[in-house]
Amino acid sequence: MKKIGLALGAGGARGLAHIIILEAFEELGVKPHIISGTSIGAIIGAAYATGMTAGEIKNSIEELLFSRNIKLTEFYKKNDMIKLLNLMSVNISTSGIFTGEKFLDYYKGKIKTYQFSKLEIPIKIVATDYFTRKEVHFTSGNIVDAVRASYALPALFTPMQIDGKLFMDGGMVNPLPYDILQNDCDFVVGVDVSAKNGITLNTQPNAIDALFASFQIMQNSILQQKLKNNKPDILLSIEIPNIRMLEFNKVKLIWKKTEKYKKTLIKELSKIL
């Protein structure tokens, strides 16, 4: 059996597409030999690596987004912003707006294990060392801490402290970490959910949109430079126009638009297998 690696990239709400891609592996009856993930790719990849199925992850996302208690579907409306702030645990500090503790509590209640050593599928989780400015790969210890470090988007989430070191979002150094799997596998599938086409607006973006768009422009530039020299064996560049970084309320649209990429992946994996 060919060893297939799966790299899940950063991209905010677009990263919900990763769940549909996982369905392709399940429909073929194949498990990735190893996974890598950055930011939301780490969140979803780690959940899958602990033993959750794509269906279980999907159900958890729907529960999180559409429950009466959380109601994230309307968090872009001003009168519902307090619900988003409540979930993400607002923290007025100099290092980040949110601590994300309530989301982590929900996440810990769903995944099958907290330890890398007990995973069903090995995973490499990418974060950025704030002080050294270098890429870090978490492969041991507490997987929840590693995930939290990987999605600590600057200014939005407070950095994650682990063993005296400070970590921030892995997208700053490696938004699609397919390269860190190439020595471990026969083939690597890279799932790019970065925003290439941006958002079509008739007005000037607000400060939040401008901040997130700037971060995604940086991530896309890093990825395009990497691809000039080295590519994964299968690269899925998932295009879903006009999805802002925090528009998780558009999950149904994201999943629908990803179905055609799942079919493409099934065809490509079938050839390999």
Side-chain angles (χ1 to χ4, degrees):
M1 178 68 72
K2 298 292 186 182
K3 295 179 180 179
I4 300 175
L6 176 62
L8 303 178
R14 285 177 166 80
L16 296 174
H18 292 319
I19 303 168
I20 305 302
I21 298 305
L22 291 173
E23 290 180 347
F25 281 84
E26 293 184 348
E27 290 181 22
L28 289 170
V30 176
K31 281 190 175 182
H33 175 68
I34 188 171
I35 299 171
S36 63
T38 296
S39 200
I40 193 165
I43 294 172
I44 294 172
Y48 195 69
T50 69
M52 292 184 72
T53 65
E56 287 175 331
I57 298 172
K58 208 173 190 179
N59 290 339
S60 296
I61 292 294
E62 289 181 324
E63 179 183 76
L64 180 65
L65 295 180
F66 302 121
S67 94
R68 293 180 179 178
N69 294 328
I70 297 171
K71 198 71 173 177
L72 279 186
T73 56
E74 299 178 349
F75 70 66
Y76 260 96
K77 296 180 181 179
K78 291 181 180 179
N79 61 338
D80 281 314
M81 182 58 74
I82 189 65
K83 295 174 183 176
L84 174 64
L85 298 180
N86 183 54
L87 174 70
M88 302 312 297
S89 311
V90 67
N91 177 44
I92 304 302
S93 71
T94 57
S95 57
I97 300 172
F98 305 115
T99 64
E101 293 305 316
K102 291 185 179 180
F103 168 73
L104 278 186
D105 287 342
Y106 181 85
Y107 188 74
K108 287 188 285 187
K110 295 295 181 180
I111 60 176
K112 308 293 186 180
T113 180
Y114 299 166
Q115 299 301 319
F116 277 91
S117 60
K118 297 181 180 179
L119 294 176
E120 289 196 6
I121 303 171
I123 188 169
K124 297 181 180 182
I125 294 177
V126 178
T128 303
D129 187 314
Y130 175 76
F131 293 112
T132 67
R133 308 308 201 245
K134 293 182 179 180
E135 180 176 340
V136 176
H137 306 153
F138 288 98
T139 58
S140 62
N142 187 302
I143 196 166
V144 177
D145 289 346
V147 167
R148 173 65 177 81
S150 186
Y151 73 73
L153 190 71
L156 186 63
F157 291 105
T158 52
M160 182 66 185
Q161 189 168 8
I162 302 174
D163 296 331
K165 297 180 180 180
L166 205 59
F167 297 98
M168 302 184 78
D169 196 292
M172 294 191 293
V173 288
N174 198 342
L176 181 56
Y178 60 86
D179 51 314
I180 68 176
L181 299 182
Q182 290 175 319
N183 291 333
D184 302 310
C185 308
D186 299 309
F187 295 90
V188 176
V189 177
V191 185
D192 172 24
V193 291
S194 62
K196 296 183 183 63
N197 296 329
I199 302 292
T200 302
L201 292 174
N202 295 321
T203 59
Q204 185 171 335
N206 61 40
I208 295 297
D209 280 333
L211 173 64
F212 292 155
S214 298
F215 193 74
Q216 290 184 317
I217 290 169
M218 178 192 73
Q219 288 180 327
N220 192 49
S221 295
I222 293 171
L223 177 57
Q224 294 309 311
Q225 190 61 42
K226 280 179 57 180
L227 291 172
K228 289 180 181 179
N229 302 313
N230 178 30
K231 295 181 179 180
D233 299 283
I234 299 175
L235 175 62
L236 296 176
S237 295
I238 297 178
E239 292 290 343
I240 308 173
N242 293 319
I243 301 291
R244 290 179 172 86
M245 199 167 191
L246 292 182
E247 282 189 313
F248 292 94
N249 57 304
K250 293 184 178 180
V251 58
K252 298 291 188 180
L253 173 63
I254 293 168
W255 286 342
K256 182 179 179 180
K257 295 289 187 180
T258 309
E259 283 292 333
K260 66 178 182 180
Y261 297 97
K262 181 177 80 170
K263 293 177 181 178
T264 298
L265 179 58
I266 288 174
K267 290 179 182 179
E268 294 299 320
L269 286 178
S270 297
K271 293 176 186 177
I272 293 172
L273 297 171

